[in-house]
Amino acid sequence: MIKTFINAWKIADLRKKMLYTVFILFLFRLGCAIPIPFIDITQDNGLIGDSTGTFLNYLSMMTGDAFNYGRVFALGITPYINSSIILQLLAVAIPALEKLSHDEEGRKKMATITRYVTVGLAVLQGIAYYVYIWSQGNMLTTDVNGKAYTGIWAVLQGVFIVATLTAGSALVMWLGEQINEHGIGNGISLILFAGIVSRIPTTIYQIVATPYYQGKWYYLIAPIALITLILMIAYIVWMDNAERRIPVQYAKRVVGRKMY
């Protein structure tokens, strides 16, 4: 793999695409660090707190902790993925959508519809995110007197937060498409990969710090878990690259003196 990367770097066109992809991923990570106005998450563990193994923890992992700390890209690429899945399922049931996927012009229309559905889902998820923040009671900024906004100001605060979340999700979708068009491709997968990999330092710290707080027996569990993960990855790669050789037999036909 390293040799392949070195050979690709020597080609000017591929080098530009790789640098462009790195730049887009940098913009994505930058958006994951910009806080949303009117949201003030001051807890050390963020919005999720100490809960683990929940759906919120999964969303935070997919967005590189942007969801957990109220950042501009808190929704990440999730609305776009959901939109793509929904339209693929509807294409099976709706003949008009299935017909669009048969030619190039139709696929462009499908991509446009997917973008609109993405924005709609981002609005719904943004509203749900705001309602959850509001229900916590202490994660929204207050006025100069330290009191929560009420009336029209509270409505405007909520609209601004939802609009920011929706715009952030649409921007992440656009960044993924830019990687597909001008980068090395697989933009959505790379953005997901960047969000998940960004949590590696935090995960390593938790693995090292947990034995100190939970007891020395965790020192025995950590190596076993690490070895298990490595074996799991090796098994998945081995199965993915596996092949089954099937002998193929062709019918023979004699025409004149030749055999076909």
Side-chain angles (χ1 to χ4, degrees):
M1 183 182 69
I2 297 177
K3 185 177 180 181
T4 303
F5 178 80
I6 294 175
N7 293 334
W9 185 261
K10 295 178 181 178
I11 303 174
D13 186 46
L14 291 178
R15 184 168 61 249
K16 290 180 181 179
K17 289 184 177 183
M18 287 189 289
L19 291 175
Y20 184 84
T21 301
V22 172
F23 175 70
I24 294 296
L25 294 179
F26 169 76
L27 293 180
F28 168 71
R29 290 304 304 156
L30 183 64
C32 291
I34 300 175
I36 300 174
F38 299 114
I39 292 182
D40 184 22
I41 299 178
T42 57
Q43 300 182 69
D44 293 337
N45 295 328
L47 176 65
I48 300 174
D50 296 328
S51 60
T52 58
T54 63
F55 181 69
L56 294 180
N57 195 276
Y58 167 76
L59 290 177
S60 181
M61 178 190 70
M62 299 286 285
T63 60
D65 268 344
F67 180 91
N68 193 24
Y69 292 100
R71 304 310 189 213
V72 173
F73 290 165
L75 299 183
I77 202 65
T78 306
Y80 180 79
I81 295 175
N82 293 337
S83 174
S84 301
I85 295 173
I86 290 172
L87 285 177
Q88 287 178 8
L89 294 176
L90 289 177
V92 179
I94 302 177
L97 292 177
E98 184 180 5
K99 186 177 179 181
L100 289 176
S101 60
H102 290 164
D103 57 86
E104 185 65 26
E105 194 65 27
R107 282 190 287 270
K108 290 181 180 180
K109 292 182 180 180
M110 282 286 290
T112 302
I113 296 173
T114 303
R115 296 187 188 101
Y116 283 119
V117 176
T118 298
V119 174
L121 291 177
V123 172
L124 294 177
Q125 293 184 18
I127 293 174
Y129 188 87
Y130 169 73
V131 171
Y132 184 79
I133 290 286
W134 176 79
S135 66
Q136 300 303 306
N138 61 342
M139 294 186 178
L140 295 175
T141 56
T142 57
D143 57 18
V144 292
N145 298 320
K147 298 181 179 180
Y149 290 102
T150 58
I152 186 64
W153 296 111
V155 175
L156 292 177
Q157 184 186 47
V159 170
F160 188 86
I161 292 173
V162 173
T164 302
L165 290 168
T166 304
S169 181
L171 183 57
V172 173
M173 174 183 63
W174 181 81
L175 292 176
E177 292 179 348
Q178 294 308 302
I179 294 178
N180 292 336
E181 294 179 8
H182 307 291
I184 61 177
N186 294 321
I188 305 303
S189 300
L190 286 175
I191 287 178
L192 283 174
F193 175 77
I196 295 173
V197 168
S198 65
R199 287 173 55 91
I200 289 180
T202 304
T203 304
I204 293 176
Y205 171 77
Q206 291 175 348
I207 292 175
V208 174
T210 297
Y212 178 79
Y213 296 106
Q214 300 294 335
K216 295 182 179 180
W217 64 279
Y218 269 83
Y219 284 111
L220 177 63
I221 295 179
I224 296 176
L226 180 62
I227 294 173
T228 303
L229 289 174
I230 293 175
L231 292 176
M232 186 186 304
I233 294 173
Y235 177 75
I236 292 173
V237 173
W238 177 67
M239 288 296 295
D240 186 66
N241 293 329
E243 62 180 16
R244 181 181 180 184
R245 297 183 179 274
I246 302 175
V248 180
Q249 298 179 353
Y250 297 94
K252 298 179 181 179
R253 184 172 56 136
V254 178
V255 179
R257 295 183 178 180
K258 293 184 179 181
M259 179 178 294
Y260 296 91

